[in-house]
Amino acid sequence: MSIVVTRIDERLIHGQVAYSWSVAYQVTEYLVVDDEAANDPTQILLLSMAVPSGKKLAILSVEDAVSHLDAQPDSMKTFIVVKSPHVLLSLIEKGIMLPSINVGGMYYKAGKQEICKTVYLDEEDKAVFRKIKDHGIACEIRTSPSDKSIDLYTKI
């Protein structure tokens, strides 16, 4: 398997993600890992409409994503997108090695603090990111590929 980008974005796939990141990293497949979206026909339809022509799309639960990734050929350049760091920690704990994590959009909700323009975290989120850090995985904040990378760990 070849994971080229792993991104946290509560919007999952949208124009910016679908185009700019796929061009910058020559993505061949989008993998949305989200238990809710995997079981929602409307979400599946909307996400499939956001993926550029010629790119593959899989929308899977955490369990199914592990099997999917384990079966991937090295030639597949996969872009993983999730809504929360909790999902990525689950993948890591199930043996999926992520080269790094890009945090693009975790938006304001009651109890969350702004750590950057597009990233708001609560104490539980911070604890999950610390566990990810313990696995030696870098986490950056970057909205688009051309933005300056900010080390998330320096903000928590």
Side-chain angles (χ1 to χ4, degrees):
M1 100 185 98
S2 180
I3 299 168
V4 293
V5 180
T6 303
R7 180 175 171 89
I8 300 171
D9 192 324
E10 290 178 1
R11 298 176 293 172
L12 295 173
I13 300 174
H14 51 90
Q16 180 177 304
V17 167
Y19 183 74
S20 63
W21 290 92
S22 73
V23 169
Y25 289 90
Q26 297 301 299
V27 171
T28 54
E29 175 193 50
Y30 292 87
L31 173 57
V32 173
V33 184
D34 188 87
D35 292 347
E36 187 179 306
N39 293 301
D40 182 341
T42 303
Q43 278 271 67
I44 292 169
L45 177 63
L46 292 171
L47 290 168
S48 66
M49 290 169 53
V51 173
S53 162
K55 306 292 183 188
K56 294 182 181 204
L57 170 66
I59 304 168
L60 302 172
S61 67
V62 172
E63 291 300 323
D64 290 342
V66 171
S67 301
H68 179 82
L69 288 165
D70 285 342
Q72 286 292 59
D74 287 342
S75 60
M76 186 70 72
K77 292 184 175 183
T78 301
F79 182 133
I80 297 173
V81 63
V82 302
K83 289 181 183 176
S84 95
H86 300 77
V87 173
L88 295 179
L89 183 58
S90 292
L91 291 175
I92 293 162
E93 290 174 343
K94 293 178 186 310
I96 299 299
M97 272 312 304
L98 304 174
S100 64
I101 295 170
N102 166 264
V103 184
M106 293 180 68
Y107 302 106
Y108 177 78
K109 290 182 184 95
K112 295 199 175 211
Q113 289 182 305
E114 180 179 0
I115 66 160
C116 181
K117 189 171 90 174
T118 61
V119 180
Y120 292 77
L121 304 178
D122 59 22
E123 291 307 314
E124 186 179 335
D125 295 328
K126 291 176 184 178
V128 170
F129 278 118
R130 287 185 194 102
K131 287 179 183 176
I132 290 170
K133 183 180 182 183
D134 290 345
H135 287 273
I137 299 169
C139 283
E140 66 161 2
I141 299 168
R142 199 162 42 126
T143 304
S144 73
S146 60
D147 289 346
K148 181 180 176 234
S149 177
I150 299 167
D151 182 343
L152 178 132
Y153 300 130
T154 64
K155 301 287 187 178
I156 61 171

